[in-house]
Amino acid sequence: MDLSLDDVRHVAALARLELSDEEALRMQAQLSSILGHIADLNEIDTEAISPTAQVVQLKNVWREDVVRPSLDRSAVLANAPR
């Protein structure tokens, strides 16, 4: 998919980026290449593959809740605005 320079400038404006003409040309080539790869991926038949939200098994790891010394309350509050 080939993006126009106007498309690149529009995306840059949405992202609040200021691009020079040289940067816009480079981004045009790079974004067009990325969108081309995405178009290739969209052509893959995935009907037989079930949707997944996570590719690795999630496991919660809990640590012991241990009381430790912390900063002095008055020293911490001394750094806060009034």
Side-chain angles (χ1 to χ4, degrees):
M1 172 179 210
D2 289 330
L3 290 177
S4 69
L5 278 175
D6 288 335
D7 292 334
V8 172
R9 288 193 175 98
H10 178 70
V11 171
L14 291 174
R16 299 184 189 270
L17 297 174
E18 188 174 323
L19 299 178
S20 67
D21 290 340
E22 180 183 305
E23 290 170 325
L25 285 172
R26 191 171 65 237
M27 290 297 122
Q28 179 186 20
Q30 291 177 357
L31 288 173
S32 293
S33 174
I34 291 168
L35 291 175
H37 290 299
I38 292 171
D40 291 343
L41 290 174
N42 283 333
E43 292 177 9
I44 297 172
D45 180 22
T46 58
E47 285 296 317
I49 300 171
S50 61
T52 57
Q54 241 354 310
V55 294
V56 294
Q57 190 69 2
L58 291 178
K59 178 181 175 186
N60 285 335
V61 179
W62 300 94
R63 65 171 173 81
E64 287 292 320
D65 194 11
V66 179
V67 176
R68 293 188 239 169
S70 86
L71 298 173
D72 178 58
R73 183 181 209 165
S74 59
V76 172
L77 290 175
N79 292 315
R82 297 195 180 264

